[in-house]
Amino acid sequence: MMNAINLFRTIALFLALMLGATPAAQAQVADAELTVLVDALAPGNFKDREAAIGTLAATGDQRAVPVLEVLLEGELYVDEASGKVVMTAEPGGKGAITDPVTGAELPALTTAGLDKVKVNNGLRRVLRTAIGQMTLLSPDADVRLLAAQSILRDADPAQSKLLDSAIAAETDAAIRRVMEQARAAIVLRSPDAALADWQAAVPVVQAIGGRDAINALTTALNTAPAEVKPLIETALQGLSRDRAVWDVAQNIWFGISLGSVLLLAAIGLAITFGVMGVINMAHGEMVMLGAYTTFVVQEVIRQNAPGLFDWSLAIALPLAFAVTALVGVAIERGIIRFLYGRPLETLLATWGLSLIIQQAVQRIFTANIREVGNPTWMSGSFDLGGLAITWNRFYIVIFAMMVFVALLLVLKYTAIGLHMRAVTQNRRMASAMGIRTPLVDAMTFGLGSGIAGLAGVALSQIGNVSPNLGQGYIIDSFMVVVFGGVGNLWGTLVGALTLGVANKFIEPYFGAVLGKIIILVLIILFIQRRPRGLFALKGRSIEA
C-alpha cells in the first residue's frame, strides 16, 4: 500500500514538473516536494527506481545532484519502518543519520533499521546520465565545466544526446570546447557513428594532446572505418612527436626537482667544507633531524590544534633550523675543533657520530617509517602544457631557490658572512686581522647544519621519514660540492641542477643504481681535468 501511494505521488509530481519545470529552467522545488521525490527512490523494483530518478532529475534542482551521486556510490539508505530515504555520515551505513534534502540530523532513527537502496549497472548508467544532465545544464559555469570534463574522461556513448543539447545551449566558449572534445571522444568509441562524425572527431581529439589523446586514438584505430584510419595514424604520428618533446621537458623538470633537493642537502655542506675543510659524514643526520622535527610539530598540532595543520610547515621551518643549528654548534665545539688539520680522523669521527645519532633517533622514534602529511596547499598537481607538476615539488623548487638567495645575501651583506669569506680565502690572515676564527667556525657549522635541517623539512614532503633518511643524500651532496667547486655557492647550484637533470636522463636507460655509478665515474673523470670543480674559489690559502 505504501509503495502504491508513493508511486501515485511520484506520478503526480512528475506531471506537474513536466508542465512547469524543465532541466534548462533549473527550478527549485519546495523541501517537502523534493523529499517526496527522494523517498520515491527506495520502493519498488529497479524499473520504478529508474522512473523516480528521471522524475528527480526533471526538477533541475541542484540539491538533488549530491543525492543522486550518493546513490551512484551505493551509499543511500532507507529507514525500513518509515520508508524515509536518508544518508549517513560514514560509509557502510554508519555514523550520524541525516536528511538528504535539508542535511538535518535525524536522531530518532537508528542505523540498525536502515537498508541500502540497491542499484544495478543499468541504474548506474541512468544515474550518470541524470547527473550529467543536471550538471551540464547548471547555471553555474564551474559546475558545467566539471561535468564536461567528467564526461570527457569517461567518454560514455550514453551521454551523446545530452552533450548535443548542452553544446547547443552553451554560451561559454571554453566550456563549449571541452564539451565538443567530450563528444568527439564519444564518437571514437561509437563504431556505428557516421563517417563525417569520425572525420570531424579525429582532429578535435588530437587537439586535446597528451597521453589521453594518444590512448583514445590508438583504441579507436581498431574500430575506425577504413577511410578514417590514415587520418588517425597521421594524428598519432604528430602526437607522438609532440609527446617526445614534452617527455624531454618532463625529464628536465624532474631533474630540476631532484636538483633542488640536492641543492638543499648540499648547500650547507658546501659552506662548512669550504670554510673549515671538514669532511662531515654526519651532515645527512642533520637532514634527518630536520625531517623528524617536522614530524613532531605535525603530531603536536594534530593532537592540540588541528586547525593549524596547514601552518605546520611554517612552524616547523624555524624550529628545524634552530634544532639542527644548535646540534651543529655542539658537534663543532665538542668534537670537530679538536680535529682541525686531521681530515681522516674528522671523517671517522663524524661517521661514528652519524651512527650514534641514527641509533638515538631509532630509540626515541623506533625504526618504523613515519609519514609527514602535506598541507592542502601542497597537495595535488597541475598541468602546464604537457607537463604534470605536483604542487609539493613545485614549492620545494621555489623554497630551494629562496634559501640559496638568502644565503648569498647573508654571505655578502652581513658581518658573519664577511668573516666567513675571509676565513675561507685565508684563515691565518683573517685571524691576524682580529677575526675570531673559532667563533666563525662554530657559526659556520651551525649555519650549514641549520640549512640541512631545512632540507629535511622539504624532504619530509616528498617521502617518508626514517632514521636513515640522510644516508641517501650524503654521497650525492659530496658529489655536488666537489663537482661545483668546494665552498662556491654558485658552483653548488649549477652542480646540483646538472647532476639532477643528468640522473633523470640516465636512469630510464640504465636504472637508478647503475645510473649513479655512471654519474660518479663521469665526475671522477671531470675532476681529473679540473681538480677544483666548475667554479674554483680564489685566495692565497686556497691556491697554496
Side-chain angles (χ1 to χ4, degrees), residues 72 120-131 156 158-159:
L72 180 61
N120 59 9
N121 289 336
L123 273 184
R124 290 187 183 94
R125 286 194 294 270
V126 172
L127 282 166
R128 282 192 286 266
T129 301
I131 293 168
D156 185 357
Q159 304 280 4

Side-chain angles (χ1 to χ4, degrees), residues 190-203:
S190 307
D192 298 331
L195 179 61
D197 290 338
W198 274 91
Q199 292 171 334
V202 171

Side-chain angles (χ1 to χ4, degrees), residues 157 160 185-194 198 223:
S160 181
I186 289 173
V187 168
L188 295 185
R189 288 194 177 187
S190 307
D192 298 331
W198 274 91
T223 57

Side-chain angles (χ1 to χ4, degrees), residues 206-437:
Q206 182 183 2
I208 298 174
R211 300 191 186 279
D212 291 338
I214 292 175
N215 293 337
L217 289 171
T218 302
T219 303
L221 191 60
N222 299 323
T223 57
E227 299 88 342
V228 182
K229 287 186 176 181
L231 184 62
I232 294 178
E233 290 170 351
T234 302
L236 284 171
Q237 290 172 3
L239 286 170
S240 297
R241 288 193 298 268
D242 293 342
R243 190 65 254 167
V245 174
W246 283 114
D247 283 344
V248 171
Q250 187 75 64
N251 276 336
I252 292 174
W253 165 251
F254 287 152
I256 292 173
S257 176
L258 175 60
S260 66
V261 173
L262 292 178
L263 175 64
L264 285 172
I267 196 169
L269 190 63
I271 58 175
T272 55
F273 199 6
V275 173
M276 306 164 67
V278 172
I279 302 174
N280 179 20
M281 296 301 293
H283 187 78
E285 277 52 56
M286 301 300 104
V287 175
M288 179 262 292
L289 290 177
Y292 270 103
T293 302
T294 310
F295 168 73
V296 171
V297 168
Q298 286 199 353
E299 287 300 300
V300 171
I301 288 176
R302 281 192 179 102
Q303 295 174 13
N304 299 283
L308 294 177
F309 186 81
D310 278 349
W311 294 90
S312 59
L313 293 188
I315 298 170
L317 282 171
L319 288 177
F321 181 88
V323 168
T324 51
L326 289 174
V327 172
V329 170
I331 292 172
E332 196 279 334
R333 290 288 84 190
I335 300 174
I336 302 296
R337 71 188 181 108
F338 301 109
L339 301 174
Y340 286 130
R342 297 153 65 184
L344 181 58
E345 286 87 341
T346 304
L347 187 150
L348 292 174
T350 54
W351 178 64
L353 181 62
S354 73
L355 298 178
I356 293 172
I357 295 174
Q358 285 185 50
Q359 290 300 314
V361 170
Q362 188 170 326
R363 283 295 186 93
I364 297 171
F365 297 99
T366 75
N368 296 332
I369 292 175
R370 304 291 183 173
E371 183 179 355
V372 176
N374 295 122
T376 54
W377 51 274
M378 286 188 75
S379 302
S381 62
F382 66 97
D383 293 329
L384 182 62
L387 297 179
I389 300 175
T390 56
W391 282 111
N392 56 354
R393 293 275 184 176
F394 176 78
Y395 282 118
I396 287 173
V397 171
I398 300 299
F399 177 67
M401 295 302 109
M402 291 173 60
V403 171
F404 177 78
V405 172
L407 190 56
L408 281 178
L409 295 177
V410 167
L411 292 178
K412 189 171 183 180
Y413 295 107
T414 66
I416 185 64
L418 177 63
H419 293 170
M420 286 170 58
R421 286 186 287 131
V423 171
T424 301
Q425 293 179 14
N426 195 317
R427 174 178 291 270
R428 291 183 179 179
M429 183 59 71
S431 179
M433 295 296 294
I435 295 176
R436 298 170 60 188
T437 54

